[in-house]
Amino acid sequence: MAAAGLCGADFSDLREIKKQLLSVAARSRERGLQHSGKWASELAFALEPLPLSELPPPPALTEEDARDLDAYTLAKSYFDLKEYDRAAYFLRGCKSQKAYFLYMYSRYLSGEKKKDDETVDSLGPLEKGQVKNEALRELRVELSKKHKARELDGFGLYLYGVVLRKLDLVKEAIDVFVEAAHVLPLHWGAWLELCNLITDKEMLKFLSLPDTWMKEFFLAHIYTELQLIEEALQKYQSLIDAGFSKSTYIISQIAVAYHNIRDIDKALSIFNELRKQDPYRIENMDTFSNLLYVRSMKPELSYLAHNLCEIDKYRVETCCVIGNYYSLRSQHEKAALYFQRALKLNPRYLGAWTLMGHEYMEMKNTSAAIQAYRHAIEVNKRDYRAWYGLGQTYEILKMPFYCLYYYRRAHQLRPNDSRMLVALGECYEKLNQLVEAKKCYWRAYAVGDVEKMALVKLAKLHEQLNESEQAAQCYIKYIQDIYSCGEIVEHLEVSTAFRYLAQYYFKCKLWDEASACAQKCCAFNDTREEGKALLRQILQLRNQGETSSTEIAAPFFLPASLSANSTPTRRVSPLNLSSVTP
């Protein structure tokens, strides 16, 4: 059945889709495009098997293919052994599309390998563009001639796009990848490259993409990358309903999507399910380890690290998982070493640069941290963690204007992440832009404050500005939130809130409320003495016959049920917080 959520895409004939996937998987492998081949094979595996009579036939050979067959067969065997220069040497002069692609691709990979080897030899503070793939310019000249003459097939256009992207010709690269997607919509590699070049939803609107079922996978992927998680999850659900429920690729993408919106429990349960279905899978396991790290699940992270080590200890993801394990054990030097090892295996691996930056931060090596975060941004400008990390490093260096720039970039990428907003608020506070700071803290609270700190910071700002009513409102709301979610939090800020409220009510001559808050203060070490002193004062004033004030309008108060033994709950009358909104 075709899912309703897939506008225009036809999923009614899953057998035809399976044929197309098997066919493109074989064609990708013939050209050495292993990842595209693997993606198509995994997706095909999720669909029902085809009977013998319906299996797709091998692609028909042309006269040119037959002429180049010997050279192609020999070169492909060298290519598979990563002897790229040797493969290219035997393919020179070949005219068939397949052999020509392998010739150009061998030359490209040879240049990349040499570049990576040079990069590995000096993994220190490399400036962007110091190490280049020397083959790129020649390849661009040759491929552009073929492109103008309209002699490139879908795979050739993909390679031309990759060369343009590597030369930082982003606009031209996007046009070529769109053309490649039109000529050969089944090749996932071209769609994926396009994903890496699109920076926002606006860009996506202006792309003229082929109306094919592959577009749905592309949109789901790009929505995940652009942090449009709700839309991404809808797309993936529609794809599951359309018949891809067994696809491990889709399951892993859903897990990554939940990781991105920090729904940690959901993401963990999906990753655990994925490991049952595909126990030797290494892809995305570094993301899984990030979740285990955040939850401080040492035994599970240890098990995952050992397990991946047994499968393949020289995979980038394995090194990142081991790095996370050591980081959780506070062995930061060892952790950094494993992230470096990951980068020696693949210098363009985004996660490792960011995680290495975090480790250098822990080791108080800010210059190395800045370098690592900058590398992460070079690899992917959409990595909010690297922008946020840079903000933190410049905060340590007491450079608030720099902080502000980097936190803003992180906030643009994650507009509903309270951590970015709180960081921005702190920055504005340091720069004495208090109105902006108030806006940030209020917004952080409104989007769902992860760390439960925004209201306290907002209250302290109101205190600073002598806006005692608003400060009291913020503290009441903070106490309600803390106790209603039943979390065990550090007592410091709760005691601060009770102390302020006790003093506030005391000034308002609301003895009952002041007394209730003062009793609460007695439960905390840092405010116990002040609480006792205030209680004595209240008692003294009551004995002198001072009555509780009725003249002072107090639009908010703690409920009568708040005594030394009880905690505030949602039963507090709704507070009018509109006055707090900047």
Side-chain angles (χ1 to χ4, degrees), residues 23 37 39 63 86 120 134 154 233 243 245 254 269 273 275 295 299 331 357 374 387 430 450 519 531 545 568:
S23 170
W39 185 86
E63 195 61 48
R86 202 173 175 194
V120 165
E134 298 299 336
L233 289 170
S245 56
I254 292 171
S269 77
E273 186 54 44
R275 285 197 31 94
R295 276 275 185 268
Q331 293 175 261
R374 285 196 191 287
W387 291 109
K430 281 173 191 155
V450 181
Q519 281 177 324

Side-chain angles (χ1 to χ4, degrees), residues 167-188:
L167 290 166
D168 288 327
L169 300 165
V170 176
K171 194 179 173 304
E172 294 92 323
I174 289 173
D175 292 342
V176 171
F177 286 129
V178 169
E179 193 183 337
H182 276 279
V183 174
L184 184 63
L186 292 166
H187 179 219
W188 179 240

Side-chain angles (χ1 to χ4, degrees), residues 415-429:
N416 292 326
D417 194 322
S418 62
R419 294 165 305 161
M420 316 297 148
L421 285 156
V422 168
L424 263 178
E426 287 171 346
C427 253
Y428 281 124
E429 224 178 310

Side-chain angles (χ1 to χ4, degrees), residues 303-364:
Y303 175 76
L304 181 66
H306 281 98
N307 185 236
L308 294 186
C309 240
E310 281 170 18
I311 299 167
D312 185 351
K313 66 159 93 171
Y314 296 112
R315 272 283 288 272
V316 181
E317 294 91 340
T318 305
C319 295
C320 286
V321 171
I322 298 169
N324 270 339
Y325 170 67
Y326 282 121
S327 181
L328 190 55
R329 294 182 57 178
S330 300
Q331 293 175 261
H332 299 296
E333 286 85 356
K334 246 183 175 177
L337 196 69
Y338 272 95
F339 295 134
Q340 279 179 335
R341 186 177 288 183
L343 291 163
K344 288 197 174 189
L345 292 166
N346 180 1
R348 288 180 300 283
Y349 195 73
L350 171 72
W353 282 118
T354 311
L355 293 168
M356 195 155 78
H358 296 346
E359 292 313 306
Y360 283 135
M361 283 278 283
E362 293 286 346
M363 288 148 67
K364 308 280 186 287

Side-chain angles (χ1 to χ4, degrees), residues 39 103 129 135 151 214 221 231 258 267 306 324 341 376 439 457 466 499 511-512 515 535:
W39 185 86
Y103 168 61
E151 288 173 15
M214 282 288 281
H221 191 95
E231 291 97 318
Y258 280 118
H306 281 98
N324 270 339
R341 186 177 288 183
K439 279 183 192 170
K457 289 182 183 294
N466 294 321
R499 177 172 56 199
W511 309 133
D512 291 344
S515 175
L535 282 169

